Amino acid sequence: MTESTAPLTPLPIAAPRRDHLLRRLLRHRSSRIGLIMLSGFFAVIVFGPLLVAGSPTSDPHYQNLGESLQPPSASHWLGTDLLGRDELVRLVIGARYTILIGIGAVVVGILIGVPLGALSGFYRGWVDLLVQRLIDIVLAFPHFLLALALVAVLGPGLRNLIIAVALASFPRFVRLVRASVLSVREQPFTEAARALGVSERRVLWRHVLPNSLTPVIVQAPLELGSAILTASGLGFLGLGVRQPTPEWGTMLGESRDLIFSNPRMLTYPGLCILAAILAFNLLGDGMRDVLDPRLRSRKRLPRRLRRRLPRKAGR
């Protein structure tokens, strides 16, 4: 008795849904607010100098001692500082320096921390021991005090400030990448690459490291806020960029003697620093929620089931 050998009809397979990262970030409340705020900051950086151009006061270094500490008016929307310089112009130009310091410090920290963390987690042994003891020594110093000591050794200036803040923050990236690499290096696809005869170096840089960068992407916006705060603190102490560069932390330091007589001189740059740090922190929080598959799967559950699940530590 023969059985029917009619060909089987394949079941339809749903096409994978392509949900882009930017679309998910815009749907998330925290990251949406952070992106809107950052868009405003970058618009000020790009177009702000064009809006304040056209008059002598558009130069952030232009001084007019006869108009010292003028209140807000039609000619000076936010008033003037102790040397008669337009406060709005200095805030607009200062955004470029402050954001540049934060981005530069984080980029340098990533360029140092990611390779060290990858080598430490992949090769282990004496390489891991050496790198981790170096990181332990760096982490033994408080973050701000280490940056302060480095600036004191290197001297004030924009480049030295970026280097000092980066050297104080790169250990976080080393630890993050190392933990991620330790997990990824044991995955089946890395074992398959080794079985095919791929060299260890190629396995690290082509297979392990690209799949270990998600924590770095999440941590980078948070580190941007921390770098801006550290750089502003150093500028407040007079160890930031050289005067008369209108950096927000330096503007705070120049106005600290006016905290009681003219508090608006500290209020404006302080609010700008607060808004920039808040924007980066909101973006980082949203990216963590969007890129963590456990949080995404949790949010797809009904509310009554979500309440029964244990919450993630720190949330």
Side-chain angles (χ1 to χ4, degrees), residues 112-122 131 173-175 177-178 181:
I112 297 174
V114 169
L116 285 178
L119 294 174
S120 176
F122 188 78
V131 172
F173 294 108
V174 175
R175 291 287 174 87
V177 175
R178 176 182 179 270
V181 167

Side-chain angles (χ1 to χ4, degrees), residues 61-106:
H61 309 311
Y62 175 78
Q63 301 180 12
N64 186 358
L65 297 179
E67 296 183 351
S68 175
L69 297 178
Q70 292 292 318
S73 61
S75 57
H76 304 286
W77 289 4
L78 296 181
T80 60
D81 64 0
L82 189 61
L83 298 177
R85 296 172 295 192
D86 190 279
E87 188 73 6
L88 177 60
V89 173
R90 290 179 61 79
L91 288 174
V92 169
I93 304 300
R96 181 174 299 178
Y97 292 99
T98 303
I99 302 298
L100 174 64
I101 291 171
I103 294 176
V106 171

Side-chain angles (χ1 to χ4, degrees), residues 2 24 28 64 109 126 128 147 154 188 247 262 276 282 285 287 289 297 304:
T2 60
R24 298 204 300 267
H28 192 276
N64 186 358
W126 66 269
D128 187 28
L154 298 174
E247 193 267 331
N262 207 328
L282 289 174
D285 183 69
M287 292 184 68
D289 293 347
S297 60
R304 58 186 178 82

Side-chain angles (χ1 to χ4, degrees), residues 78-296:
L78 296 181
T80 60
D81 64 0
L82 189 61
L83 298 177
R85 296 172 295 192
D86 190 279
E87 188 73 6
L88 177 60
V89 173
R90 290 179 61 79
L91 288 174
V92 169
I93 304 300
R96 181 174 299 178
Y97 292 99
T98 303
I99 302 298
L100 174 64
I101 291 171
I103 294 176
V106 171
V107 169
V108 174
I110 290 175
L111 293 178
I112 297 174
V114 169
L116 285 178
L119 294 174
S120 176
F122 188 78
Y123 290 106
R124 295 189 292 187
W126 66 269
V127 177
D128 187 28
L129 180 64
L130 181 64
V131 172
Q132 293 309 307
R133 296 297 77 79
L134 172 64
I135 299 305
D136 290 338
I137 293 173
V138 176
L139 291 177
F141 297 92
H143 177 80
F144 184 80
L145 291 182
L146 179 59
L148 180 65
L150 291 173
V151 171
V153 172
L154 298 174
L158 182 62
R159 183 182 62 183
N160 293 340
L161 183 61
I162 292 175
I163 295 174
V165 176
L167 292 180
S169 62
F170 84 93
R172 297 189 184 94
F173 294 108
V174 175
R175 291 287 174 87
L176 281 174
V177 175
R178 176 182 179 270
S180 185
V181 167
L182 286 174
S183 175
V184 174
R185 72 187 300 271
E186 305 298 335
Q187 295 296 323
F189 66 88
T190 59
E191 297 294 335
R194 292 191 182 96
L196 292 174
V198 180
S199 64
E200 291 291 314
R201 181 183 302 177
R202 188 176 180 86
V203 169
L204 172 60
W205 300 113
R206 293 294 301 274
H207 300 281
V208 175
L209 185 58
N211 291 281
S212 305
L213 294 180
T214 301
V216 176
I217 298 173
V218 174
Q219 186 67 21
L222 301 176
E223 286 297 322
L224 276 167
S226 177
I228 291 175
L229 181 61
T230 302
S232 300
L234 293 174
F236 180 81
L237 296 176
L239 294 174
V241 298
R242 299 182 184 274
Q243 295 183 3
T245 303
E247 193 267 331
W248 291 342
T250 305
M251 294 173 64
L252 278 175
E254 293 173 350
S255 306
R256 60 176 175 265
D257 294 334
L258 306 174
I259 185 171
F260 297 112
S261 61
N262 207 328
R264 65 177 177 82
M265 299 305 301
L266 285 87
T267 302
Y268 297 144
L271 289 177
C272 291
I273 295 172
L274 171 64
I277 296 174
L278 178 62
F280 283 116
N281 286 345
L282 289 174
L283 178 60
D285 183 69
M287 292 184 68
R288 180 192 60 186
D289 293 347
V290 167
L291 294 176
D292 193 338
R294 291 170 296 182
L295 294 178
R296 292 205 306 270

